[in-house]
Amino acid sequence: MSAAPTLDPGTHEPPDYLQVQSSAEFDELRRAHRSFAFPLTVAFVLWYLAYVLLSSYAGGFMATKIAGHLNVAFVLGIAQFVTTFLIAWWYSRHAAAKLDPKAEAIKSRLEGDA
């Protein structure tokens, strides 16, 4: 049986998070996130709302057969799922390429200062 390692909190001061939050680095990270996430969120909500409104008020159009038993409503419904997964994939690529390196730089600077 071994003893659990002790964690020495040390004598360092915690990072000044308010200073970090007001830094140009953090502003750039926030801007990179918002410039991607907000427009894409608005676009998806509008796309979803269009689907719901069409389903509610354009039943004849949504019942239009496309091929066999497939109608417009089914195709647009499946497209909702497809766009959800595409947006998640696209965001993960964006985060890995643009957000994660900036966040890691801020984290490294904070841990280096600590």
Side-chain angles (χ1 to χ4, degrees):
M1 184 179 215
S2 63
T6 59
L7 298 176
D8 179 20
T11 58
H12 65 274
E13 292 292 318
D16 183 359
Y17 292 108
L18 293 176
Q19 181 184 7
V20 172
Q21 188 178 6
S22 64
S23 72
E25 255 182 327
F26 192 79
D27 279 344
E28 186 179 332
L29 174 62
R30 191 175 342 172
R31 191 172 16 264
H33 169 70
R34 287 180 177 172
S35 67
F36 185 88
F38 287 170
L40 207 52
T41 300
V42 168
F44 184 78
V45 167
L46 290 174
W47 157 229
Y48 177 75
L49 185 60
Y51 175 73
V52 170
L53 291 173
L54 285 171
S55 295
S56 297
Y57 299 107
F61 169 71
M62 295 296 269
T64 303
K65 300 279 186 196
I66 293 178
H69 293 291
L70 295 179
N71 61 17
V72 172
F74 182 79
V75 172
L76 292 180
I78 295 298
Q80 289 286 318
F81 288 101
V82 171
T83 54
T84 299
F85 289 109
L86 285 174
I87 288 170
W89 170 78
W90 191 14
Y91 179 78
S92 70
R93 286 182 41 129
H94 171 74
K98 307 275 183 184
L99 304 179
D100 292 349
K102 292 175 185 177
E104 191 60 40
I106 293 170
K107 179 183 170 193
S108 295
R109 186 171 55 79
L110 281 175
E111 289 175 349
D113 290 347

